[in-house]
């Protein structure tokens, strides 16, 4: 009778598969495509413009969601592959591209193990997407691997100090513990962290902090409830609290206070992000 031996590598692979399944399900919660269309469409066009994308370039959008940057890149004439871990998001992006008469390739893919050849793309980019892959070193290696020598990299990520970074900090005490080895997503919005991830494999590195104005919400509670209904990470934190009404009420208060802290005199918000561009060493 043969016995089955489970190795450490097998256990690690099983744990990683479970973690990715959890992440995939989290981003399918709520309605992230609606949130992206309502609040952050400018980020995709900003990144496409910063990279000067156009015809003749093969572009990979990593953790593309529903195509916030992939669709503007295709509109600029690039040959675009949009990849994401969550197929529900890709389905929305595919339908939107079809409405616009655009041809893109939509591929389900893990940012930490991309199914593309080394040097396959002229440009790899991500707009508040790659930052949510839990193992930053792994996703950075893949980002670099798929770009040809001399090709370009472009990233927009929320900063730790900005509104979204601080929202994750506010939610952390109420969330399930992070998996071993995971790095907080907003670290991708810290210039020195991104420099350390890309290292000596890039040149012409630029990093600029900028603000995204958000004026959709008339009251702090309105913004909080919008995220509770549509944003996967926020929904997951509330689900983690279950029927603990005291902690739910405390998180409700903390998120409202956060909005008030960031609101301008007009009641609008400025969400800070980091825009990074670089060229892979040839």
């Amino acid at each position: 009778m043969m016995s089955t031996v489970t190795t450490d590598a097998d256990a690690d692979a099983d744990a990683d598969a479970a973690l990715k399944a959890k992440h995939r399900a989290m981003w399918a919660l709520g309605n992230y495509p609606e949130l992206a269309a309502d609040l952050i469409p400018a980020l995709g066009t900003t990144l496409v413009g910063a990279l000067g994308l156009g015809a003749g370039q093969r572009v990979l959008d990593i953790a593309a969601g529903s195509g916030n940057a992939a669709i503007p890149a295709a509109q600029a004439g690039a040959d675009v592959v949009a990849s994401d871990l969550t197929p529900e998001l890709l389905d929305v992006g595919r339908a939107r591209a079809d409405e616009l008469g655009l041809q893109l390739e939509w591929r389900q893919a893990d940012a930490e193990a991309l199914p593309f050849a080394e040097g396959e793309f002229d440009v790899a980019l991500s707009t508040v997407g790659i930052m949510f892959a839990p193992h930053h070193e792994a996703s950075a290696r893949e980002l670099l691997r798929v770009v040809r020598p001399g090709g370009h990299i472009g990233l927009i990520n929320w900063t730790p100090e900005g509104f979204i970074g601080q929202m994750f900090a506010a939610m952390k005490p109420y969330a399930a513990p992070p998996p071993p080895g995971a790095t907080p997503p907003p670290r991708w919005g810290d210039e020195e962290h991104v420099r350390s991830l890309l290292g000596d494999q890039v040149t012409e590195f630029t990093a600029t902090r900028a603000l995204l104005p958000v004026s959709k919400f008339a009251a702090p509670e309105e913004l909080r409830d919008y995220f509770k209904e549509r944003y996967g990470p926020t929904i997951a934190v509330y689900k983690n609290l279950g029927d603990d009404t005291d902690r739910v009420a405390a998180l409700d208060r903390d998120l409202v206070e956060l909005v008030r802290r960031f609101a301008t005199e007009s009641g609008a918000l400025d969400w800070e992000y980091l825009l990074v561009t670089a060229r892979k060493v040839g």
Side-chain angles (χ1 to χ4, degrees), residues 8-254:
D8 289 344
D10 291 334
D12 289 345
D14 289 345
D16 187 67
L19 173 61
K20 298 305 168 57
K22 183 178 179 180
H23 273 241
R24 184 165 59 246
M26 179 186 71
W27 286 104
L29 296 171
N31 193 338
Y32 182 74
E34 181 181 347
L35 183 150
D38 283 350
L39 304 180
I40 63 169
L43 295 184
T45 54
T46 294
L47 187 56
V48 167
L51 290 165
L53 298 185
Q57 293 176 302
R58 182 159 168 77
V59 175
L60 174 65
D61 187 354
I62 299 172
S66 51
N68 184 271
I71 287 175
Q75 288 173 318
D79 174 15
V80 181
V81 178
S83 67
D84 198 275
L85 189 64
T86 302
E88 292 88 345
L89 302 182
L90 296 175
D91 289 343
V92 175
R94 184 182 295 108
R96 176 59 177 155
D98 289 346
E99 289 176 2
L100 296 170
L102 297 171
Q103 296 295 318
L104 290 80
E105 182 180 351
W106 301 86
R107 291 280 300 276
Q108 184 177 0
D110 179 358
E112 298 178 5
L114 294 169
F116 306 111
E118 182 171 348
E120 183 172 341
F121 296 92
D122 301 303
V123 181
L125 57 83
S126 184
T127 305
V128 296
I130 197 173
M131 64 183 293
F132 292 104
H135 307 111
H136 293 192
E137 291 78 8
S139 52
R141 283 195 300 270
E142 286 295 272
L143 168 70
L144 289 162
R145 182 184 65 80
V146 299
V147 178
R148 66 169 176 80
H152 287 86
I153 291 165
L155 305 167
I156 284 180
N157 291 308
W158 304 119
T159 66
E161 302 85 2
F163 175 77
I164 298 296
Q166 287 298 295
M167 185 178 74
F168 276 91
M171 295 191 300
K172 183 177 179 180
Y174 303 94
T183 304
R187 290 294 305 282
W188 270 102
D190 176 79
E191 177 180 346
E192 291 309 310
H193 182 63
V194 180
R195 284 183 180 274
S196 71
L197 291 172
L198 302 182
D200 60 5
Q201 294 194 60
V202 300
T203 185
E204 299 176 24
F205 181 100
T206 69
T208 305
R209 288 180 180 241
L211 299 174
L212 176 73
V214 176
S215 58
K216 177 180 176 63
F217 305 101
E221 292 82 1
E222 187 180 335
L223 186 153
R224 178 201 63 201
D225 293 345
Y226 182 94
F227 271 73
K228 286 176 67 172
E229 294 171 1
R230 293 168 179 82
Y231 193 53
T234 304
I235 296 169
V237 172
Y238 276 95
K239 284 171 68 71
N240 182 63
L241 298 179
D243 296 327
D244 190 336
T245 55
D246 289 342
R247 297 196 77 205
V248 168
L251 179 53
D252 279 347
R253 290 193 299 271
D254 288 352

